[in-house]
């Protein structure tokens, strides 16, 4: 191997390392309005004001499926709130909760909302919204977003775990209970197969207008062609040499 080739390979490796440093977190928290082609608004399923319409089985809505958690996740409680931990393992599979403690659909703000049922169950006002939920997409996505309603204020958090199809944790992310959030997979990888969500808000939360990308690419997480082009451009002269010697992906 010539000295010139060795130097080029070293520079290329440094470029990949630098690109990795630029996206240290697998999941970037972004504005809700920047994400989403597919909106799950739960209007395709029955709902009612408190205590809502109870769903003890898997809920199908908007091209996705919902339950309390993923099989293999550990369920515990903090007061009346569900807490999830652990990794599901693969393939990623939904797990329903106990009867009356799985999911509800409520219309307490005039629109259909997902109401996860806590330890006390959704028939109890103190269990209405204190539960966890998991969403399993038909195809892996590179982004996700949701709106949260009825928070009681204070320094409370909502926790999201992003998993790939094999049940491996991509990243755990925590956000404030106030407002709406978007989440984008760094590098544009389309490997988010499912997301689980729980909150520490003592009054419980409702969730609506979930967004994700209904298209799908390689579930193994190979970057899209545009991402490769962006990475190569970032290598400067080495990237330019590489592009002259081989076709640019389109």
């Amino acid at each position: 191997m010539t000295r010139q080739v060795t130097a080029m390979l070293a520079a290329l490796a440094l470029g990949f390392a630098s690109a990795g440093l630029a996206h240290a977190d697998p999941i970037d928290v972004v504005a809700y309005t920047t994400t989403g082609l597919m909106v799950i608004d739960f209007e395709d399923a029955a709902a009612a004001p408190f205590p809502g319409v109870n769903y003890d089985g898997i809920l199908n809505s908007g091209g996705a499926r919902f339950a309390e958690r993923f099989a293999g996740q550990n369920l515990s409680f903090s007061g009346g709130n569900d807490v999830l931990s652990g990794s599901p393992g693969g393939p990623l599979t939904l797990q329903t909760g106990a009867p009356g403690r799985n999911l509800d659909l409520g219309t307490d703000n005039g629109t259909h909302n997902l109401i996860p049922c806590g330890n006390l169950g959704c028939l109890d006002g103190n269990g209405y919204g204190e539960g966890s939920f998991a969403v399993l997409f038909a195809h892996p996505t590179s982004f996700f977003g949701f709106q949260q309603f009825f928070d009681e204020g204070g320094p409370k958090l909502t926790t999201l775990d992003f998993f790939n199809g094999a049940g491996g944790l991509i990243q755990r992310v925590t956000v404030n209970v106030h407002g709406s959030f978007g989440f984008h997979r760094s590098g544009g990888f389309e490997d988010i197969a499912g997301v689980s969500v729980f909150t520490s808000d003592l009054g419980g939360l409702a969730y609506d207008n979930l967004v994700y990308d209904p298209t799908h690419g390689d579930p193994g997480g190979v970057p899209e062609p545009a991402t490769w082009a962006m990475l190569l451009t970032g290598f400067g002269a080495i990237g330019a040499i590489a592009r002259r010697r081989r076709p640019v992906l389109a």
Side-chain angles (χ1 to χ4, degrees):
M1 184 179 295
T2 66
R3 210 175 275 180
Q4 182 182 10
V5 172
T6 302
M8 286 177 58
L9 290 175
L12 188 62
L14 180 60
F16 274 113
S18 298
L21 290 175
H23 297 285
D25 292 329
I27 303 293
D28 298 318
V29 181
V30 297
Y32 171 79
T33 54
T34 66
T35 64
L37 298 175
M38 185 71 177
V39 178
I40 305 173
D41 58 12
F42 304 105
E43 300 295 327
D44 56 356
F50 174 80
V53 173
N54 184 65
Y55 290 84
D56 281 337
I58 291 175
L59 169 65
N60 293 275
S61 182
R65 304 168 70 220
F66 297 82
E68 180 186 66
R69 63 190 189 277
F70 291 115
Q73 282 187 294
N74 301 314
L75 174 67
S76 58
F77 308 102
S78 176
N81 291 67
D82 286 358
V83 178
L84 299 179
S85 60
S87 293
L92 195 63
T93 306
L94 290 170
Q95 173 68 57
T96 57
R101 287 186 261 173
N102 189 49
L103 302 174
D104 245 37
L105 286 184
T107 59
D108 303 276
N109 61 353
T111 185
H112 293 200
N113 296 279
L114 179 65
I115 311 289
C117 304
N119 189 35
L120 298 177
C122 275
L123 292 177
D124 189 317
N126 292 318
Y128 190 69
E130 280 82 353
S132 61
F133 77 90
V135 52
L136 183 65
F137 304 111
H139 303 291
T141 180
S142 63
F143 57 76
F144 174 67
F146 67 169
Q147 295 179 323
Q148 303 176 105
F149 298 97
F150 305 126
D151 67 86
E152 287 199 337
K156 303 297 191 301
L157 298 174
T158 297
T159 301
L160 302 93
D161 287 330
F162 293 81
F163 297 104
N164 60 31
L169 179 66
I170 299 172
Q171 188 178 346
R172 168 167 283 198
V173 179
T174 56
V175 294
N176 199 289
V177 298
H178 310 295
S180 308
F181 297 90
F183 308 90
H184 182 259
R185 183 71 164 90
S186 294
F189 295 134
E190 294 179 325
D191 63 350
I192 302 171
V195 183
S196 66
V197 181
F198 64 93
T199 185
S200 62
D201 188 87
L202 299 179
L205 297 179
Y207 305 87
D208 199 5
N209 298 319
L210 279 62
V211 291
Y212 70 100
D213 186 351
T215 63
H216 65 287
D218 186 339
V222 177
E224 299 171 349
T227 303
W228 282 114
M230 178 185 67
L231 291 175
L232 290 174
T233 302
F235 295 156
I238 297 302
I241 293 172
R243 287 194 297 276
R244 285 199 297 269
R245 292 189 176 183
R246 61 191 303 178
V248 176
L249 296 174

